Amino acid sequence: MTAPDAGRGIGSGEETTTFGFPRDTFRILHVSTGNVCRSPITERLTRHFVQERLGILGGGLIVESAGTWGHEGAPMEANAETVLADFGADATGFVGRELLDEHVIRADLVLTATRDHRAQVISMGHSAGLRTFTLKEFTRLVRAIDPATLPPLEEGVVARARALVRAAAALRGWLLAPTAEADEVYDPYGAPLPFFRSIGDEIHQALDPVVTALTGVTAHT
């Protein structure tokens, strides 16, 4: 296994491993097709919103992304960078990656753009089924979880995140999507900026309750 790219994660400066990450970490992996549009937006918005809520870089939370047909080494699409700038998020230093077994093995939570991506991740094995959701599916499940049942933030974001994934997995069979399309984030690749912005808004709306549940802090108004 190769060492992860330290520039992709957000950590807290705690005691670290040889890879430079805190020993107690929780990895979120965002997956789309090319890893140049949807998953980079979702990765960088997740980091941005966590930092907004907590005022720190994650407390052991590591946020990454990859693509099932990833454009290895490619830059983020220019329209995706613009969407991130709209939200005040940082797009610098991003490099596309193809989804590898090691990414799935290391991930504590995999959030995909579509059901097809979810199926591809699960088909890779590594007991990924219980920790892989579409982004919108995970949002729907998280909304149904009582925050009082999660560990308080004083116990750390990592403990809270692990409990959140367990609770969401337990609810999956009970809270089904109203339609098949309800769990999809469509691909804006090659589309004009207004469509990219609409996808950015969808991702923002889906991420907001997730980050609130992870951090125990609502968005600043």
Side-chain angles (χ1 to χ4, degrees):
M1 180 185 299
T2 58
D5 178 358
R8 300 184 70 92
I10 52 178
S12 65
E14 302 167 24
E15 182 183 5
T16 58
T17 67
T18 55
F19 290 156
F21 290 132
R23 292 186 184 280
D24 193 19
T25 59
F26 184 92
R27 288 179 180 270
I28 299 174
L29 176 66
H30 293 293
V31 175
S32 62
T33 303
N35 194 214
V36 292
C37 297
R38 288 168 290 180
S39 51
I41 291 172
T42 316
E43 173 195 320
R44 294 304 177 95
L45 284 184
T46 302
R47 295 190 199 181
H48 178 67
F49 294 146
V50 169
Q51 187 171 8
E52 274 191 333
R53 303 292 214 287
L54 299 181
I56 59 173
L57 293 179
L61 199 65
I62 298 167
V63 186
E64 303 176 301
S65 64
T68 55
W69 290 87
H71 297 241
E72 188 74 29
M76 191 185 311
E77 281 288 293
N79 283 345
E81 291 189 0
T82 300
V83 168
L84 289 174
D86 290 344
F87 288 102
D90 184 11
T92 60
F94 181 85
V95 178
R97 302 192 302 178
E98 182 177 354
L99 181 67
L100 302 176
D101 288 274
E102 66 188 67
H103 302 145
V104 177
I105 290 168
R106 290 199 304 253
D108 298 289
L109 171 63
V110 184
L111 296 176
T112 70
T114 69
R115 292 167 297 151
D116 283 347
H117 296 134
R118 182 185 64 193
Q120 288 180 65
V121 171
I122 292 172
S123 74
M124 295 171 73
H126 315 302
S127 303
L130 289 177
R131 51 196 167 90
T132 302
F133 309 79
T134 73
L135 172 62
K136 289 185 175 180
E137 174 192 21
F138 194 66
T139 301
R140 183 175 68 254
L141 299 173
V142 163
R143 287 184 185 276
I145 296 168
D146 182 355
T149 64
L150 301 174
L153 188 58
E154 290 76 17
E155 294 184 20
V157 175
V158 170
R160 192 175 175 94
R162 288 177 178 157
L164 185 67
V165 172
R166 288 194 298 270
L171 285 173
R172 196 200 306 254
W174 297 93
L175 292 174
L176 302 179
T179 66
E181 291 73 25
D183 284 343
E184 305 282 289
V185 176
Y186 291 106
D187 192 355
Y189 184 77
L193 181 58
F195 187 69
F196 265 84
R197 284 185 161 137
S198 71
I199 294 299
D201 288 339
E202 279 187 38
I203 291 170
H204 171 226
Q205 291 169 22
L207 278 178
D208 182 70
V210 172
V211 175
T212 296
L214 281 171
T215 63
V217 181
T218 57
H220 302 305
T221 57

